[in-house]
């Protein structure tokens, strides 16, 4: 009935996987994103698709990479799934999806080699000095278009300490 549980879905592999945000896409599909520690060597790896931007896990000392997954509207099939990250640790949340299905994300990365685009305001890490339990993190902002071929999916990405980006 109204207000009841409509469905549940497992999204991830056999290690710790976290969903930080969900968005309904213009197509009716569900975009799920967060962080995953399910590397390819996990008992059950994170399930990437053939059209993934980054098919391999690069996670650092804590083993985390971002994950982006698109499920069909019934949440019965994975349409798209990719890792995203450098050799440090990352996490992301989805800030929104535009009418064309391009998603904007924000989060944090400890990677000095987080993938960036040539249009980034700051194309290299500033080498953050905020020491946390897991090291130093910088803010990341990116746009991803899963409808493009893998090498063209990352439309904009950068990492920096203070981020104010209007896309």
């Amino acid at each position: 009935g109204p207000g009841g549980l409509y469905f549940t879905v497992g999204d991830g592999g056999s290690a710790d996987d976290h969903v930080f945000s969900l968005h309904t896409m213009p197509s009716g599909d569900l975009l799920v994103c967060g962080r995953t520690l399910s590397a390819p060597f996990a008992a059950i790896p994170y399930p990437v698709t053939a059209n993934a931007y980054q098919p391999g896990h690069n996670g650092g000392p804590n083993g985390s990479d971002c994950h982006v997954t698109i499920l069909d509207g019934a949440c019965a099939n994975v349409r798209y799934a990719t890792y995203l990250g450098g050799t440090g640790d990352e996490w992301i949340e989805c800030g929104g999806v535009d009418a064309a299905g391009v998603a904007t994300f924000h989060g944090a990365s400890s990677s000095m080699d987080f993938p960036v685009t040539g249009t980034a305001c700051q194309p290299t890490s500033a080498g953050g000095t905020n020491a946390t339990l897991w090291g130093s993190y910088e803010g990341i902002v990116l746009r991803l278009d899963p409808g493009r071929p893998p090498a063209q999916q990352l439309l904009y990405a950068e990492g920096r300490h203070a981020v104010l980006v209007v896309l």
Side-chain angles (χ1 to χ4, degrees):
L5 180 65
Y6 289 93
F7 66 87
T8 61
V9 63
D11 175 41
S14 60
D16 289 340
D17 300 307
H18 305 265
V19 172
F20 292 142
S21 62
L22 306 167
H23 276 272
T24 302
M25 301 185 72
S27 63
D29 292 345
L30 183 66
L31 184 138
V32 180
C33 70
R35 70 183 274 181
T36 179
L37 281 75
S38 292
F41 54 81
I44 301 173
Y46 191 82
V48 298
T49 54
N51 60 335
Y53 169 75
Q54 180 182 313
H57 185 276
N58 292 333
N62 298 308
S64 71
D65 265 354
C66 303
H67 71 80
V68 176
T69 304
I70 298 174
L71 303 170
D72 68 10
C75 294
N77 298 293
V78 176
R79 294 196 191 277
Y80 176 84
T82 190
Y83 290 110
L84 184 61
T87 54
D89 294 307
E90 288 84 25
W91 63 267
I92 56 171
E93 294 183 17
C94 183
V97 180
D98 69 16
V102 176
T104 302
F105 302 93
H106 62 275
S109 173
S110 66
S111 296
M112 297 298 280
D113 59 350
F114 186 83
V116 296
T117 60
T119 57
C121 296
Q122 180 180 329
T124 60
S125 171
T129 58
N130 256 350
T132 67
L133 178 62
W134 297 286
S136 180
Y137 282 78
E138 292 187 345
I140 55 176
V141 174
L142 58 114
R143 291 185 52 128
L144 186 73
D145 183 352
R148 292 178 174 223
Q152 299 171 10
Q153 291 175 3
L154 193 61
L155 303 179
Y156 180 85
E158 78 167 275
R160 56 186 309 151
H161 268 97
V163 177
L164 176 59
V165 176
V166 179
L167 300 173

